[in-house]
Amino acid sequence: MYDFVVVGAGPAGSRFSRRAAERGYDVLALERGSVGEPLACSGHVSTDVWEFTREGAREDLLQNEVFGARFHVGGPGSDDYPFYKREVVSNVIDRVGLDRHLAEAAREAGVDLREGHSVSTVEERPDRVAVTATGPDGTETFEAKMVAGCDGPVSRVRRELGLPEPGEKLQGVLGFSDEDDPGDYVDVHLTAPRFFAWRIPRGDSGVEYGLAAPPGSDPGANALFEEFTADYDVDTGEFCAGMIPVGPADSVTSRRGFLVGDAAAQTKPFTGGGILYGMTAADHAAREIDPEDPGTLADYEAAWRDDLSTEIRLGHWIRKCYSLPERVQHAGLSAFSGEIGVHMDKPTSFFSKEHLAKLLSRS
């Protein structure tokens, strides 16, 4: 019997698997398809991502460096409001490569990671869990002391454990052009309902275009994406789509199971990104949870919420600004644009001494 069965080998799942294995636990990780595929997430991340990778990852995965963002209330060609730093703000990376890198790190730590295994049921028993999955060799049931649901926004584990859904799910759409663009600014367009659209230069790897919108929007996310790329006069060919969970539920743990990453909606409400928050929560899970003691699941709940809940709460307030009247958006962006001292994953940094000093220096 395993200590943990981990369902999902994205960043959160691979990170938790690796850290748990490094603590001496026997870990089985099951990935429904091939690690990193299909792509359904942006490759724009903060520079903190390298703290979670092995040596040499940056040289292998980096595609571009970003120094700031231009915000637009309208579409391409509309007035823009730049926010920037004099040093690198964020990185654009090979997103599929990141997943594979993290999965390989988990394997090297001793994790039994199996691709092509689709989980169908999760049964909690008094002293163990039974996870049934279908793989290349047929259907098999694996037993463990605990199960970790790291299987994304539409989580099978969450449903099987009877845990509550995230507060909201957005429909995200992503596509890539073959433009050669080494630019060091991303473009953010506040044109999608209750969210935004983006353009991210990836150096000689092309340009990433994307947007997110609530399901049921009229027009829908796919149509909005086609309009957005048409306005930029680019053809991204086929594009990928996926759900973005926003707003963690009151509980992400059960008797012998827990959720990490997108399955737990551990994401930034103002961008939808979840790589850093998910891996941060994974580290808390590996530190706090003892598979022999279900009571330690409460310690995980407390630890990750203590670390991330304020950032998530402030992120919700930032997102509300996307739906303000255009004249208010223009006024706000105009007032705050310029050199900044904020961290892209930490809304609390808006109140940092560094950022306040940048604001005061403009007056």
Side-chain angles (χ1 to χ4, degrees):
M1 181 166 63
Y2 294 94
D3 291 308
F4 296 102
V5 170
V6 180
V7 182
S14 289
R15 179 67 180 183
F16 171 76
S17 297
R18 173 190 174 185
R19 299 300 283 170
E22 289 173 344
R23 295 178 71 86
Y25 294 120
D26 193 8
V27 182
L28 169 67
L30 303 174
E31 171 58 37
R32 181 176 60 182
S34 298
V35 171
E37 298 176 358
L39 175 66
C41 182
S42 173
H44 181 219
V45 298
S46 77
T47 56
D48 290 353
V49 72
W50 309 120
E51 297 176 11
F52 296 86
T53 60
R54 297 172 299 172
E55 187 176 351
R58 188 179 184 278
E59 290 73 18
D60 293 338
L61 303 176
L62 181 68
Q63 295 177 331
N64 199 14
E65 293 182 321
V66 173
F67 287 77
R70 292 181 291 256
F71 279 77
H72 309 255
V73 174
S78 62
D79 291 342
D80 64 81
Y81 302 91
F83 292 76
Y84 64 91
K85 284 187 174 183
R86 297 185 187 278
E87 68 271 14
V88 174
V89 174
S90 56
N91 289 164
V92 184
I93 62 169
D94 175 352
R95 184 64 181 76
V96 172
L98 175 67
D99 280 18
R100 292 174 177 167
H101 172 94
L102 295 169
E104 185 57 32
R107 284 192 171 106
E108 288 187 359
V111 176
D112 180 2
L113 197 161
R114 306 186 191 184
E115 299 177 72
H117 281 70
S118 180
V119 170
S120 55
T121 63
V122 178
E123 181 184 351
E124 287 186 294
R125 299 171 183 169
D127 63 340
R128 67 189 66 191
V129 293
V131 179
T132 300
T134 301
D137 299 323
T139 300
E140 188 174 357
T141 297
F142 305 95
E143 292 190 335
K145 296 169 186 175
M146 287 193 181
V147 61
C150 308
D151 49 341
V154 187
S155 170
R156 167 73 71 173
V157 175
R158 184 176 63 224
R159 185 164 68 251
E160 289 289 306
L161 296 179
L163 290 169
E165 294 285 313
E168 180 185 8
K169 292 177 188 173
L170 301 173
Q171 178 67 52
V173 185
L174 196 66
F176 302 88
S177 74
D178 59 4
E179 302 163 82
D180 184 351
D181 188 347
D184 50 16
Y185 274 65
V186 302
D187 286 282
V188 177
H189 296 267
L190 303 179
T191 51
R194 291 168 50 193
F195 214 68
F196 62 87
W198 63 86
R199 180 186 186 275
I200 301 172
R202 303 167 67 227
D204 59 9
S205 298
V207 175
E208 174 187 319
Y209 294 86
L211 63 78
S217 299
D218 185 18
N222 287 2
L224 287 168
F225 180 77
E226 290 176 351
E227 292 176 9
F228 177 58
T229 52
D231 287 343
Y232 264 108
D233 194 25
V234 295
D235 180 8
T236 62
E238 294 185 4
F239 52 83
C240 49
M243 303 303 293
I244 301 173
V246 177
D250 291 337
S251 175
V252 298
T253 58
S254 62
R255 290 174 296 167
R256 285 192 171 271
F258 57 98
L259 308 176
V260 187
D262 281 5
Q266 291 160 336
T267 62
K268 296 181 289 183
F270 58 104
T271 70
I275 296 174
L276 266 294
Y277 283 15
M279 291 197 292
T280 297
D283 281 359
H284 285 301
R287 280 192 296 267
E288 302 293 341
I289 298 174
D290 178 352
E292 299 282 359
D293 182 5
T296 57
L297 290 169
D299 298 329
Y300 163 59
E301 285 268 26
W304 82 259
R305 291 181 191 276
D306 183 62
D307 195 356
L308 296 175
S309 62
T310 299
E311 305 293 356
I312 291 173
R313 184 168 62 253
L314 288 175
H316 280 293
W317 283 103
I318 292 174
R319 187 180 162 203
K320 290 179 184 295
C321 297
Y322 303 163
S323 300
L324 293 173
E326 286 192 10
R327 58 180 177 80
V328 179
Q329 291 178 335
H330 280 292
L333 291 170
S334 177
F336 289 107
S337 66
E339 188 174 359
I340 58 173
V342 299
H343 187 292
M344 68 175 284
D345 287 324
K346 300 175 182 178
T348 52
S349 64
F350 185 84
F351 305 100
S352 67
K353 291 181 179 179
E354 179 188 0
H355 183 58
L356 293 176
K358 298 296 184 186
L359 294 179
L360 291 173
S361 69
R362 302 178 201 167
S363 58

